[in-house]
Amino acid sequence: MTPNTRVPPDFLAVFNAKGWRAAEHLFGARTSVTRRWIELCGGKDMLTERKRERKRRAK
């Protein structure tokens, strides 16, 4: 992946539903690229949303 790689359109949905490692595997991204995509998609707010989704699915 190059530094100019854009965030895949469904990255946010996959990350929220399946998590960090699943998103890395599906999109073939390195950890550094996944971190950058998270920052571009909302950073801490995105991580908070993922936590909320995990709690919702655990019930």
Side-chain angles (χ1 to χ4, degrees), residues 1 5 7-8 10-38 46-47 50:
M1 303 228 153
T5 303
V7 179
D10 53 347
F11 173 75
L12 185 57
V14 170
F15 184 87
N16 280 338
K18 306 228 180 214
W20 183 297
R21 295 295 173 211
E24 278 186 338
H25 179 71
L26 180 66
F27 298 110
R30 296 184 313 269
T31 299
S32 62
V33 174
T34 302
R35 281 188 184 130
R36 185 166 37 86
W37 289 347
I38 288 169
M46 184 178 162
L47 295 174
R50 170 65 183 148

